Amino acid sequence: MKVDLFDFYLPEDLIAQTPLEDRTSSRLMVVNKETGELEHRKFKDIYEYINPGDCLVLNDTRVLPARLHGEKEDTGAHIEVLLLKQQEEDKWETLVKPAKRVKEGTIISFGDGKLKAVCVKELEHGGRILDFQYDGIFYEILDQLGEMPLPPYIKEKLDDQDRYQTVYAKERGSAAAPTAGLHFTNELLDALKEKGVHIAFITLHVGLGTFRPVNVEDIDKHEMHAEFYQINGETASLLNKVRAEGGRILSVGTTSTRTLETIAAANSGEFVESSGWTSIFIYPGYEFKGIDGMITNFHLPKSTLIMLVSALAGRENILHAYETAVQERYRFFSFGDAMFIQ
């Protein structure tokens, strides 16, 4: 299957640069995955589409303010650091710019020495292992000195960093937000609970690989990045109960989908308490074992994410939906509008 099968025309002015004031006021396209039929609603109307006994599965990862600006201690040269993955204790895999200025042994100072880092290993493509030194609690210092690492297609500065977090974000570790969840407010979640909808949480820490383009012509030659996930026993039991009682499992976002499908695929369709790394790649031809429907945003042309939603709703249905979204001037990507595939 060729990557070009998932291409579409997207005017640049449809890429949302800022979040809407009211999270639930974004638009919602409802897609029937069997017929391809479309409905145009507001996100708050999702309440009408989720039934008592259904389970909404949310990814409670929290985005780290992972971009740091520092100076080389010996020369004062500006260095930008992006935290990618914690290795052990205070050692982190990072991306640094300009990488040529950071060799093994280089010391970088942040916030007038409040935080320091020593380069202990050089990796490819600007990667470095940094060993951080500080007094106090690392994440509190990061909250003071770090910036939210917004996706590369967002050029505007974000005034309120919490708008790039879901209202239920809890487990620190992501380099990017699970953006389908940005549309929910606590009030909407409470209303769904009162209706009899189950709300469940899983965790998948989103890596920067989510923004990486597919650079091969044949999809089956693409290698997915690995991301850490976990699901507890209480959530696993709830999901099995919902399924046994005929309720639908509805994932919020591609990250929740990939987590649930990883677990269900490894356990003959059952959900079990587990954690680990997933590099599952879902594209048309994949048989879903974990979810019945999903809420998602509108994705990049030729991305692994549009391939995933095409696997669920059918490639022709999705391309028709995207063509309609462009005509109707839906807002795309992280701060954009939503789609509910049911």
Side-chain angles (χ1 to χ4, degrees), residues 115-174:
L115 180 67
K116 292 188 178 184
V118 181
C119 176
V120 295
K121 188 176 180 182
E122 296 180 40
L123 306 173
E124 293 180 341
H125 309 302
R128 298 289 186 271
I129 303 296
L130 298 183
D131 190 0
F132 285 91
Q133 302 165 354
Y134 53 91
D135 290 322
I137 298 170
F138 179 73
Y139 288 112
E140 288 184 1
I141 296 169
L142 198 58
D143 283 340
Q144 293 170 29
L145 301 180
E147 294 176 0
M148 208 59 78
L150 293 176
Y153 44 74
I154 293 178
K155 313 299 182 193
E156 297 284 327
K157 190 169 173 24
L158 186 62
D159 293 330
D160 178 3
Q161 299 216 63
D162 278 344
R163 289 309 308 272
Y164 194 58
Q165 302 278 17
T166 61
V167 296
Y168 47 81
K170 180 182 169 189
E171 303 292 338
R172 291 186 177 108
S174 269

Side-chain angles (χ1 to χ4, degrees), residues 264-304:
N267 298 283
S268 304
E270 292 286 306
F271 296 99
V272 298
E273 180 173 3
S274 58
S275 65
W277 294 84
T278 180
S279 55
I280 190 170
F281 182 19
I282 298 173
Y283 56 90
Y286 177 84
E287 187 179 326
F288 284 83
K289 303 160 190 72
I291 69 162
D292 301 295
M294 73 179 295
I295 297 166
T296 186
N297 280 17
F298 289 88
H299 305 295
L300 278 164
K302 300 199 282 191
S303 64
T304 60

Side-chain angles (χ1 to χ4, degrees), residues 9 15 31 38 87 93 105 135 145 153-154 171 210 221 227 244 257 293 298-299 304 321:
Y9 170 66
I15 299 172
V31 181
L38 306 178
Q87 299 282 314
E93 180 184 341
D135 290 322
L145 301 180
Y153 44 74
I154 293 178
E171 303 292 338
T210 193
K221 292 180 181 170
E227 294 170 319
T257 300
F298 289 88
H299 305 295
T304 60

Side-chain angles (χ1 to χ4, degrees), residues 251 253-262 282 288 291 294 308:
S251 61
T254 56
T255 62
S256 297
T257 300
R258 293 178 68 240
T259 303
L260 295 174
E261 290 301 321
T262 295
I282 298 173
F288 284 83
I291 69 162
M294 73 179 295
L308 187 154

Side-chain angles (χ1 to χ4, degrees), residues 10-21 150-160 163-164 182 297 300 330-337:
L10 177 65
E12 195 171 333
D13 66 339
L14 294 186
I15 299 172
Q17 293 295 317
T18 53
L20 299 178
E21 191 171 334
L150 293 176
Y153 44 74
I154 293 178
K155 313 299 182 193
E156 297 284 327
K157 190 169 173 24
L158 186 62
D159 293 330
D160 178 3
R163 289 309 308 272
Y164 194 58
L182 295 177
N297 280 17
L300 278 164
Y330 274 69
R331 300 164 81 244
F332 277 67
F333 307 157
S334 299
F335 290 138
D337 296 316

Side-chain angles (χ1 to χ4, degrees), residues 57-74:
V57 185
L58 308 168
N59 181 4
D60 65 2
T61 189
R62 187 169 186 82
V63 186
L64 293 173
R67 181 169 279 118
L68 290 161
H69 295 276
E71 297 175 340
K72 278 183 71 174
E73 201 164 66
D74 55 352

Side-chain angles (χ1 to χ4, degrees), residues 188-239:
L188 179 55
L189 289 170
D190 287 344
L192 287 165
K193 283 183 203 168
E194 285 176 28
K195 186 179 182 178
V197 175
H198 302 286
I199 307 292
F201 294 97
I202 53 90
T203 304
L204 181 134
H205 292 319
V206 189
L208 281 183
T210 193
F211 302 121
R212 224 171 263 153
V214 178
N215 290 321
V216 292
E217 194 176 322
D218 294 319
I219 288 171
D220 56 5
K221 292 180 181 170
H222 177 68
E223 287 186 21
M224 284 290 284
H225 54 288
E227 294 170 319
F228 180 79
Y229 73 88
Q230 58 187 6
I231 177 174
N232 63 33
E234 184 182 348
T235 295
S237 297
L238 172 60
L239 293 173

